[in-house]
Amino acid sequence: MGKGIVSASLAKLLQERGFSVTIQKLDPYINIDPGTLNPYEHGECFVTDDGAETDLDLGHYERFLNIRTSQDNNVTTGRIYQSVIDKERRGEYLGKTVQVIPHITDEIKNRIQRLGEKGIYDIVITEIGGTVGDIESLPYVEAVRQLHWELGDENVAIIHLTLIPYLAAAGELKTKPTQHSVKFLMQSGVQPDILVCRTDRALSDDIRRKIALFTNVKLGNVIESRDAETIYDVPLLMEAEKLDLAVLEKLQLDKGKEPQLKEWKAFLLKFKNPKDTIRIGLVGKYVELHDAYKSIHESLIHGATHNQLKLDLHWIHSERPETEIVEELQQVDGVLIAPGFGKRGVEGKIAALKYAREHQLPLLGICFGMQIAAIEFARHVLGLKEADSTELNPETPYPVINLLEDQKLDILGGTMRLGLQTCRLEPDSKAYQIYQSETIEERHRHRYEFNNEYIDAFEKHGMKIAGRDVKTNLVEILEIPEHPWFITTQFHPEYKSTVLNPHPLFVDFIKTAYELRKK
């Protein structure tokens, strides 16, 4: 439906008006976080500076607002219940019967208000996942009802995103789903102040009046949200519909300055008027669900747009036969080896890496992509045919990727290196030239590490250790100086790329790939 994009677009407009804004996501699932969820279930797992494994919508928030989010920006039912149960075990409820109301709803309200209590935000936008009517969402809807009552009408604006489907057989837009959705909300004691209506065509004045009448919403607060050419159009569409003004009126806040969105519009101008196309192959095992690589996809768009190029992304499944993968790589200007845990699709990634290394095809490897690069190099350059990661083969005689001793625990997610870490770059490396800095800070999400015992052998045969962790000396970047562009990172650069600040690795990767094609 697009709650995340609409939330981010509204926040962008309020930010442009001079308000300090942040967004949080409430997810009704019982998982503690999406860290152990299969990407097919929920798309990518986004990681914040403080190491929180969160919903991919936080990536939208950061890319639109150019700000950093944290653990407090994502709350799950699992975390809510865990907190309440922990308090019960500590005796904090003084022997009371612990119930959904008031204990679960109180915890939800506390989490909703936590960001606002920091004193640095004028407005906090809270997005509730799922759909009205889901049994999982009921405690959240009740918490919203209570908050509205407690905080007062001028301190809360309730926005309901709803669908206005077009029935081709009848030749008309239908408002009944919206009427029933709002009716269900009102039965729960929640009256929406603003309706954002998702539709693939314009809403007539008659339809807007009908919706307003049957939902008890002001006519001017029935907002049209048309299908857009790109998600980056949505802030401009919401500005035209005056969504931000409707919110400010409800909250009785000054309008601030008129949104200019100069840099945003400059980005869109480049995006819609490319001088050429760049073809990039993304090799991964979840390519059927593009949301599994959402931040990578958007970062490639940022890098391409910065170079005034249109991204033509080839989704290459790493489980395809190696010959097919190689054929696909012959059609692209650069290749990105995507992250991913486990054995499935590994040999396809190794084949792609070998081809890119031997055929001078620009290559960016991320996280597991760096580890696969180390395995491929050890096998085909160092001659260690059985080289592997102990994640994939615990008995390998050449563990070029392995676990540190203090990581050897049985708890999933409990031994990962998560969040922002500092990396020192080698001054004579390509990475240093790109970043123009001796030290960088990047986000991590991984468990296994490059085995430092193989550093000398790698460097002797042409693979440079271009970056190391400042505290632990662990390998962070592998690159091949003799290759036109071959950089692999243990960290996730895609988590820090935004519309207004595209990540330098993606910008330079796209730039070099395009220049080489032109030659």
Side-chain angles (χ1 to χ4, degrees):
M1 286 286 289
K3 288 194 297 291
I5 299 299
V6 171
S7 299
S9 299
L10 170 60
K12 184 68 185 174
L13 293 173
L14 294 171
Q15 188 185 63
E16 280 283 309
R17 287 186 175 273
F19 294 96
S20 175
V21 189
T22 191
I23 319 177
Q24 62 183 170
K25 175 75 182 289
L26 307 186
D27 276 309
Y29 52 72
I30 301 177
N31 303 66
I32 298 299
D33 57 45
T36 57
L37 280 173
N38 188 311
Y40 285 133
E41 289 281 321
H42 208 66
E44 79 168 2
C45 174
F46 187 81
V47 177
T48 57
D49 280 355
D50 60 357
E53 294 179 285
T54 70
D55 185 81
L56 64 81
D57 273 335
L58 270 71
H60 291 312
Y61 306 160
E62 291 203 5
R63 286 188 287 272
F64 274 53
L65 298 181
N66 212 37
I67 62 171
R68 299 298 174 222
T69 54
S70 69
Q71 180 75 63
D72 291 335
N73 290 79
N74 194 200
V75 179
T76 66
T77 294
R79 202 173 289 282
I80 295 289
Y81 272 83
Q82 184 182 55
S83 177
V84 169
I85 290 168
D86 288 345
K87 287 179 182 178
E88 186 272 334
R89 290 290 85 188
R90 291 194 298 267
E92 291 187 26
Y93 297 121
L94 303 176
K96 295 275 189 183
T97 302
V98 179
Q99 297 175 287
V100 173
I101 301 173
H103 301 98
I104 296 299
T105 50
D106 280 353
E107 187 68 23
I108 292 171
K109 288 187 292 182
N110 290 338
R111 298 300 180 104
I112 289 175
Q113 294 178 93
R114 188 174 290 180
L115 284 166
E117 288 166 352
K118 292 184 176 181
I120 56 176
Y121 300 112
D122 303 311
I123 300 170
V124 178
I125 297 174
T126 301
E127 177 194 346
I128 300 177
T131 304
V132 168
D134 289 349
I135 193 168
E136 298 96 334
S137 300
L138 292 177
Y140 292 96
V141 175
E142 170 60 19
V144 167
R145 184 196 68 77
Q146 292 179 23
L147 263 183
H148 186 223
W149 181 78
E150 291 168 6
L151 297 179
D153 197 50
E154 74 282 1
N155 288 316
V156 177
I158 296 168
I159 304 172
H160 184 40
L161 182 72
T162 181
L163 179 66
I164 310 288
Y166 177 78
L167 292 188
E172 62 179 333
L173 290 162
K174 290 292 185 181
T175 64
K176 269 291 185 280
T178 295
Q179 292 178 45
H180 281 277
S181 183
V182 173
K183 181 181 177 183
F184 189 92
L185 260 185
M186 292 173 72
Q187 285 174 342
S188 303
V190 176
Q191 164 67 54
D193 302 302
I194 299 167
L195 292 180
V196 177
C197 304
R198 288 287 287 112
T199 174
D200 65 353
R201 60 202 66 213
L203 300 180
S204 66
D205 290 343
D206 284 344
I207 287 179
R208 291 190 196 231
R209 276 193 291 270
K210 183 178 179 182
I211 293 169
L213 177 65
F214 284 104
T215 60
N216 209 30
V217 171
K218 283 173 59 177
L219 179 59
N221 287 359
V222 177
I223 305 295
E224 175 188 289
S225 179
R226 292 271 294 277
D227 290 354
E229 179 186 342
T230 167
I231 59 172
Y232 299 113
D233 275 328
V234 179
L236 302 181
L237 296 175
M238 292 300 97
E239 182 188 16
E241 285 288 304
K242 300 180 181 179
L243 173 60
D244 52 331
L245 291 176
V247 170
L248 293 174
E249 181 184 346
K250 177 63 175 61
L251 297 177
Q252 298 180 23
L253 293 171
D254 186 75
K255 293 179 183 178
K257 57 189 179 183
E258 284 297 312
Q260 298 299 313
L261 295 165
K262 287 181 181 176
E263 292 175 297
W264 194 271
K265 290 173 181 175
F267 170 85
L268 268 174
L269 189 65
K270 282 186 177 180
F271 179 86
K272 294 185 176 183
N273 298 279
K275 65 182 181 183
D276 206 343
T277 298
I278 185 74
R279 301 164 303 190
I280 300 296
L282 188 153
V283 181
K285 60 180 176 179
Y286 304 114
V287 294
E288 304 97 323
L289 181 68
H290 295 179
D291 272 1
Y293 303 110
K294 190 62 180 174
S295 291
I296 290 175
H297 189 186
E298 296 304 317
S299 299
L300 288 168
I301 290 174
H302 301 161
T305 304
H306 185 84
N307 287 291
Q308 212 167 334
L309 298 169
K310 179 183 179 181
L311 176 68
D312 176 13
L313 191 56
H314 294 230
W315 300 87
I316 305 172
H317 204 299
S318 57
E319 282 194 296
R320 287 168 61 181
E322 293 175 22
T323 53
E324 290 185 15
I325 292 174
V326 168
E327 284 176 12
E328 190 74 44
L329 293 181
Q330 290 169 358
Q331 310 301 317
V332 299
D333 308 313
V335 58
L336 188 148
I337 307 298
F341 299 98
K343 289 183 179 181
R344 191 167 66 85
V346 164
E347 293 306 317
K349 289 183 177 180
I350 289 176
L353 269 152
K354 184 172 186 289
Y355 178 87
R357 181 178 56 78
E358 292 179 344
H359 291 80
Q360 308 290 290
L361 181 66
L363 178 134
L364 172 59
I366 296 176
C367 195
F368 195 51
M370 188 198 92
Q371 297 178 7
I372 296 295
I375 294 168
E376 189 280 324
F377 194 82
R379 288 183 185 179
H380 301 126
V381 178
L382 303 187
L384 307 176
K385 302 298 183 188
E386 296 177 71
D388 219 326
S389 165
T390 52
E391 175 190 6
L392 308 173
N393 177 14
E395 307 302 322
T396 176
Y398 308 111
V400 292
I401 305 294
N402 67 357
L403 275 182
L404 301 180
E405 283 303 316
D406 60 359
Q407 290 178 302
K408 293 179 179 177
L409 304 172
D410 293 328
I411 306 169
L412 271 180
T415 59
M416 297 184 75
R417 197 143 67 96
L418 283 165
L420 208 64
Q421 315 265 334
T422 304
C423 169
R424 180 177 291 109
L425 302 178
E426 292 295 323
D428 59 344
S429 65
K430 186 181 285 289
Y432 180 90
Q433 294 171 15
I434 293 168
Y435 278 97
Q436 290 292 297
S437 177
E438 289 184 10
T439 58
I440 58 172
E441 290 185 320
E442 294 283 3
R443 300 180 195 179
H444 293 67
R445 183 179 181 251
H446 64 100
R447 185 174 291 108
Y448 289 78
E449 306 283 355
F450 182 89
N451 188 339
N452 284 1
E453 293 178 12
Y454 290 89
I455 286 177
D456 289 344
F458 268 63
E459 294 207 310
K460 192 180 293 182
H461 288 81
M463 179 76 84
K464 185 176 183 62
I465 312 302
R468 302 190 195 209
D469 185 86
V470 167
K471 291 182 180 177
T472 62
N473 207 38
L474 291 167
V475 173
E476 295 278 75
I477 303 175
L478 293 175
E479 65 177 52
I480 299 178
E482 299 305 314
H483 192 284
W485 211 100
F486 188 107
I487 296 178
T488 63
T489 68
Q490 186 61 84
F491 51 80
H492 288 259
E494 73 274 17
Y495 291 148
K496 289 185 70 175
S497 187
T498 69
V499 173
L500 302 187
N501 283 302
H503 196 286
L505 279 180
F506 286 91
V507 170
D508 200 74
F509 170 57
I510 297 285
K511 177 174 177 281
T512 305
Y514 180 70
E515 288 173 349
L516 285 171
R517 188 185 87 196
K518 295 294 284 184
K519 287 180 182 178

